[in-house]
Amino acid sequence: MNEARIERAPGFRIDDPFWSHYLRMVREVMIPYQWEALNDRIDGAEPSHAIHNFKIAAGRETGDFHGMVFQDSDIAKWVEAAAYLLESERDPALEQLVDEVVDLIVDAQREDGYLNTYFTLKEPGREWTNLAECHELYCAGHFIEAGVAYHRATGKRKLLDVVSRLADCIGRTFGREPGKLAGYDGHQEIELALVKLYRATGEKRYLALSKYFLDQRGAKPHYFEQEWEKRGKTLHFPQLSMVHEHTYSQSHQPVREQSEAVGHAVRLVYMATAMADVALETGDEGMKAACRRLWESITAKRMYITGGIGSMEQGESFTTDYDLPGDLAYAETCASVGLIFFAKRMLELDGGSHYADVLEKALYNTVIGGISLDGTSFFYVNPLEVYPDVLGKNKNYNHVKAERQGWFTCACCPPNAARLLASLGDYVYRTREDTLFVDLYIGSQAEVELKNGLVKVEAQSTYSAQGQVRLTVAPSPAQAFTLALRMPEWSDGVEIRVNGKILEDPFVNEDGYMRIQRIWSAGDQVELCFGMPIRRMKSHPLVRQTYAKTALQRGPFLYCLEEADNGKRLYQLRLAESASFRLEQAEGLPGDIPALVTEDGYRLRLGEAWTDQLYGSGGQAARDAARLTFVPYYAWANRGIGEMSVWIAEGNL
Amino acid sequence: MNEARIERAPGFRIDDPFWSHYLRMVREVMIPYQWEALNDRIDGAEPSHAIHNFKIAAGRETGDFHGMVFQDSDIAKWVEAAAYLLESERDPALEQLVDEVVDLIVDAQREDGYLNTYFTLKEPGREWTNLAECHELYCAGHFIEAGVAYHRATGKRKLLDVVSRLADCIGRTFGREPGKLAGYDGHQEIELALVKLYRATGEKRYLALSKYFLDQRGAKPHYFEQEWEKRGKTLHFPQLSMVHEHTYSQSHQPVREQSEAVGHAVRLVYMATAMADVALETGDEGMKAACRRLWESITAKRMYITGGIGSMEQGESFTTDYDLPGDLAYAETCASVGLIFFAKRMLELDGGSHYADVLEKALYNTVIGGISLDGTSFFYVNPLEVYPDVLGKNKNYNHVKAERQGWFTCACCPPNAARLLASLGDYVYRTREDTLFVDLYIGSQAEVELKNGLVKVEAQSTYSAQGQVRLTVAPSPAQAFTLALRMPEWSDGVEIRVNGKILEDPFVNEDGYMRIQRIWSAGDQVELCFGMPIRRMKSHPLVRQTYAKTALQRGPFLYCLEEADNGKRLYQLRLAESASFRLEQAEGLPGDIPALVTEDGYRLRLGEAWTDQLYGSGGQAARDAARLTFVPYYAWANRGIGEMSVWIAEGNL
């Protein structure tokens, strides 16, 4: 029997010329599509088995477990995403579906609180014996996130109670005390989830358990080796080295001592997210410092210009400083989702706009670039350069696709992107005492709580396309607070009007925010008009793959060349150092984001005499004028299979 | 008991300012070193076990087989190389060693002629059940080559008899007749060896058997699938897909229908070598045409400028047309050795100088580049661009080493290079009727047989360093013949003197050879002085990785930039389009091959203001003048670990 919804006003509703498209897509396409996928009803796609596994575990159906060892987490992420949708807009049919899933989860949970269909069905009795590889705590973490989200959205406690029992089961099992397992998960996730559960329930034991998992990580002797010995050296993924390669799971060192972003990118950012959460809750300076070092390592040395992270397919991993190949990039969509989680926590911990800049970069480029414009297909891997002719022939590119795929055997990215987009409202504002921070400029209605009371905020925004935002506040009653407006790193200046009156010399604070302090009354308006130059971006001199090449950026969007506009053999194109651009309306892009077009490009052409020989002393290359059209990176691969490149070499005309 | 040597005059002796170094190294360093390695006496190197396996198989020692399934072939290659050394210069101690190995082989051979220590010791009863993976015929082929070579060198028949019995055992086992296995080897080699055996013995059944193996390849239903089903679907290399990926072993199509160089590069060129041999012996036009298509596919579309082949590590394979990444290159030393075999056969079949050009390119660059200047360490993989900082961190480069290694678990390359170098004399001249073709200009004394009798030829050569050669002929008696002199593709002109008198307007025939027809007497001299410009090479416009970049070549040598001369971060360097070069004596290079030095280079420098950020709109790059020093590619990585790059981007000064 389903419990009653506790009616509450929607906290946040997005109405934005760019983002509404994505929210609509999540609601109307992705969540229904993913529901069908979880129920194995998508023709031609690998069946998920996720719901079926639960039905077997709940005793409602018979059969065997199928799917990855972490298949359960797809359901958890779907519930979480659905919860965020329900939070901003009622949808009784969707809520009914979620309630049914919650009942299924209730039935699949064991008496002692344990919840994992893989072990319940396939390896009963071997629970908690292979943390390195088997994702039990990872899946638990996702259920906890779902339970917290659904409670926040509807006030319904059933799933929150389920995941609290699950967390208590975990708490009884893990710890340094005698009789407990002094382990931690191979794939971090439980740590950040437990902080959410702590915040939702106020139960400090969940925060302590999160802190335990973080602090225990990397202890010697190594837990993954110990449990491996103990279980007879069996492996779940024999082709991988999750047990012995400790950098892969960031368990090579205690987390407080880590300074470099190594190993599996998603794991790293999920871990760092929890570290920042715990640092915020506890004020732990050592943990804070480690968060800052990891942030620096990622964003100053190991991140693609699109906000993608993880330079190599092997281990879905970071490699080393300044090693950022565009064609071999892994840059998993999930890793950029995780980077956004981490950025959000760093904003809360440290409050500098550079965190929001990275958050915005990952969101506007890699995350939505992972989704087709119609919401039905997805990239797992987000390269910065693709030559389709070589795919399937040179196996170094086996992970790279030139077109988005319907669903994946390891289907982590689509539901992860969905839950992020559905909760986008969480990333727009922050409050601290009497200051309202505006981190993202997304058209929306919101209600935020400041020191002196509730404030309604409406944002009307053409920020994505034109850099303009109008904020209307409605405190009730009138109250003094500070509006802290993020100055995006890509902007060369801003004009601000308060109730129509220009603000002279807006001052950007050291933290990257411009502050307006006053007593605000209902209807007060702030208008922002950000300068939105076309920026010719360069990479750090130590990034050899893109050295002295240019990538174009306008506003939060990185751009790329596509074969559809520029013909084949993009590597032959050059951009004049003096090129000027015009904005050209591109058809069919959300929010009417323009294309960038220049006549100041050229195509190098080797001597006329070049015939069939592979090498020759053919003399200098000639230059044929070429119009170059750059489209936003997020929109690539929506016009059939073709070449793509973010970076272009420069030259003199 | 060892049989007596039949004394014969050495057919060929090298005395060359460039090549003598390598021959000496093979004789004094590589062959002794490899002997120690085969006997597991190299400290710090993986033991080979090869001799020990034979001693066990011969009943002289006890123990288990160790090593790769094709470990035997290392001994065969060593014997073959030693035989070539003995052919050009007596060495009783070495001959004694070889005789002992021959006796060991005799004792290890089974009654029925079968010879393979892996199956004899480790899987008796399973002979010929896994041709796809287990290299039995491959090892047999190498023994046959060794037997033929040792017979040619010494006149001793013992090993030739052993391998004839082995070939007869194979002939009784394989064929299309009922009761025989209609199979062929996963790794081609037996085919070319059987042609050698046919030529050495005159027995046509060996040619027929070779032709059978070629023609049976690619027949449907697929033999590898059939034998796999039959043996219960076991795999020797479960991580590879030798059974099911038929392009890997070029068994996806009948060989006469093949047009593209696909799959494992060494296998392809070994197969093509045999195809050309069989086409030459039989006049088979279909086979000839297939050889030409494969040659074209390799050399016009899939070969590095260094003569390396195989663009990817996965499968040690070709990828697709014009896909030639320099940093990820596999370009196995053995594959270039095999390309030389193929080129030599194509020269004999078709006679165009372009075959010799490729032969020379592979020999002077990749093959000797695979060997350290002191002959003690070896590259298996020969990249065209190396950044050591990323090796071991980005796993895409796991196959790439920045320094040569002592010996390998899969030790095919060092003995393969040794046997090629030891038989270098075979590649210098060709005869056809009354024409003596000079394919390579290597200082040497030789005796060749022409239609009208024997001719002694002495070549004095500074061809490698200066492009000059003096040929002195001594026919006995004086006789008419044609001297056909190859015009190297890299030369822009030649001055020829016959007995001191300049030859006006030397005419290069359509086949790339200049012919001098006359009655020659003892002491007649021809002097050649080839123009040796520094060539700025470009790659075909479809090679995206090196598009519009430049590689320097002088004579047969490709050049590269090394960190030792040019500092770190070679990717920041540019070469002016108008650069002029000087030759600078490089210390310690064989034959005094000069370095190429220019002051017309520069190092791009991003704006002064570049600090720690990963990306920025830093404006134009500045240009700092930089002296660039290019050293011959074959000599790279002899001065410690450092960056290397063959290709450099161009720019205006």
Side-chain angles (χ1 to χ4, degrees), chain B residues 576-596:
Chain B
E577 289 179 1
S578 56
S580 63
F581 298 89
R582 62 175 187 273
L583 304 184
E584 205 165 87
Q585 200 45 58
E587 292 287 319
L589 295 189
D592 295 329
I593 307 303
L596 308 180

Side-chain angles (χ1 to χ4, degrees), chain A residues 313-314 328 390-400, chain B residues 241 245 247-248 311-319 323 328 396:
Chain A
E313 185 271 334
Q314 298 91 334
L328 293 170
V390 85
L391 303 184
K393 308 227 168 103
N394 185 325
K395 294 185 185 179
N396 285 295
Y397 303 109
N398 274 1
H399 60 294
V400 177
Chain B
S241 42
E245 198 177 319
T247 49
Y248 174 76
S311 305
M312 74 177 170
E313 186 271 332
Q314 298 90 334
E316 313 183 307
S317 289
F318 292 99
T319 61
D323 180 47
L328 294 169
N396 285 296

Side-chain angles (χ1 to χ4, degrees), chain B residues 270-292:
Chain B
Y270 280 20
M271 177 180 85
T273 298
M275 287 166 67
D277 273 337
V278 167
L280 183 67
E281 296 294 344
T282 62
D284 181 329
E285 288 299 327
M287 195 71 100
K288 260 191 215 180
C291 289
R292 291 190 190 114

Side-chain angles (χ1 to χ4, degrees), chain B residues 344-612:
Chain B
K344 172 68 176 171
R345 301 322 190 274
M346 290 307 289
L347 269 174
E348 279 160 4
L349 188 65
D350 258 6
S353 69
H354 59 292
Y355 296 118
D357 288 331
V358 168
L359 192 163
E360 185 179 82
K361 183 191 284 280
L363 177 64
Y364 280 75
N365 297 285
T366 298
V367 171
I368 57 173
I371 307 168
S372 63
L373 291 176
D374 63 4
T376 63
S377 59
F378 309 91
F379 280 132
Y380 194 96
V381 163
N382 296 282
L384 282 78
E385 185 180 13
V386 172
Y387 287 94
D389 288 352
V390 85
L391 304 184
K393 307 225 167 107
N394 185 327
K395 294 185 184 179
N396 285 296
Y397 302 109
N398 273 1
H399 61 292
V400 177
K401 306 280 177 244
E403 61 180 345
R404 295 177 184 82
Q405 313 287 303
W407 195 261
F408 301 91
T409 312
C410 170
C412 55
C413 295
N416 223 355
R419 71 184 180 124
L420 175 75
L421 293 174
S423 62
L424 199 51
D426 291 350
Y427 298 87
V428 175
Y429 302 118
R430 271 179 303 132
T431 59
R432 177 165 245 178
E433 308 265 314
D434 65 350
T435 301
L436 173 61
F437 289 90
V438 187
D439 293 327
L440 297 179
Y441 296 99
I442 293 181
S444 54
Q445 295 98 43
E447 200 172 74
V448 297
E449 184 149 5
L450 289 169
K451 195 174 150 202
N452 301 320
L454 281 179
V455 179
K456 286 190 176 164
V457 193
E458 185 183 346
Q460 290 171 290
S461 173
T462 59
Y463 173 85
S464 302
Q466 290 150 37
Q468 295 181 15
V469 191
R470 178 190 294 146
L471 295 165
T472 309
V473 296
S476 147
Q479 59 181 266
F481 64 87
T482 302
L483 199 57
L485 303 159
R486 169 175 153 257
M487 181 70 194
E489 48 104 25
W490 48 257
S491 179
D492 56 356
V494 63
E495 198 179 85
I496 304 182
R497 282 189 163 75
V498 180
N499 291 331
K501 197 175 155 237
I502 204 153
L503 190 74
E504 298 296 340
D505 301 323
F507 172 74
V508 182
N509 205 285
E510 255 195 11
D511 69 353
Y513 287 80
M514 304 169 288
R515 282 169 170 75
I516 306 175
Q517 202 167 6
R518 53 174 277 168
I519 296 168
W520 300 89
S521 310
D524 282 349
Q525 284 196 341
V526 177
E527 288 160 290
L528 297 129
C529 180
F530 291 107
M532 214 174 196
I534 294 166
R535 301 174 79 209
R536 298 178 68 121
M537 302 301 291
K538 294 275 194 302
S539 54
H540 188 283
L542 292 176
V543 184
R544 70 187 185 289
Q545 291 98 346
T546 51
Y547 187 70
K549 289 188 170 181
T550 294
L552 295 183
Q553 181 174 3
R554 179 177 176 272
F557 296 107
L558 266 294
Y559 279 73
C560 65
L561 293 161
E562 276 201 291
E563 180 180 331
D565 304 301
N566 303 286
K568 279 183 94 76
R569 301 191 283 283
L570 298 178
Y571 59 84
Q572 298 181 344
L573 299 175
R574 295 289 181 274
L575 179 65
E577 289 179 1
S578 56
S580 63
F581 298 89
R582 62 175 187 273
L583 304 184
E584 205 165 87
Q585 200 45 58
E587 292 287 319
L589 295 189
D592 295 329
I593 307 303
L596 308 180
V597 180
T598 180
E599 306 294 332
D600 304 328
Y602 52 91
R603 188 179 277 274
L604 286 183
R605 180 168 41 81
L606 295 182
E608 300 288 353
W610 204 282
T611 53
D612 288 341

Side-chain angles (χ1 to χ4, degrees), chain A residues 245 303 305 312 323 390 394-395 538-542 544 547 569 571-572 604 606 614-616, chain B residues 245 303 305 312 323 390 394-395 538-542 544 547 569 571-572 604 606 614-616 650:
Chain A
E245 198 177 318
M303 181 181 73
I305 195 167
M312 73 177 169
D323 179 47
V390 85
N394 185 325
K395 294 185 185 179
K538 293 274 195 303
S539 54
H540 189 283
L542 292 176
R544 70 188 185 290
Y547 187 70
R569 299 190 284 283
Y571 59 84
Q572 299 181 344
L604 286 183
L606 295 182
L614 187 49
Y615 303 104
Chain B
E245 198 177 319
M303 180 180 74
I305 195 168
M312 74 177 170
D323 180 47
V390 85
N394 185 327
K395 294 185 184 179
K538 294 275 194 302
S539 54
H540 188 283
L542 292 176
R544 70 187 185 289
Y547 187 70
R569 301 191 283 283
Y571 59 84
Q572 298 181 344
L604 286 183
L606 295 182
L614 187 49
Y615 303 104
E650 284 191 341

Side-chain angles (χ1 to χ4, degrees), chain A residues 593-611:
Chain A
I593 306 304
L596 308 179
V597 180
T598 181
E599 306 295 332
D600 304 328
Y602 52 90
R603 187 179 278 275
L604 286 183
R605 181 167 41 82
L606 295 182
E608 301 287 353
W610 203 281
T611 52

Side-chain angles (χ1 to χ4, degrees), chain B residues 247-269:
Chain B
T247 49
Y248 174 76
S249 54
Q250 298 86 31
S251 61
H252 58 302
Q253 277 185 319
V255 300
R256 278 155 213 280
E257 295 173 21
Q258 296 189 24
S259 293
E260 288 196 336
V262 296
H264 188 267
V266 173
R267 289 167 208 232
L268 186 279
V269 284

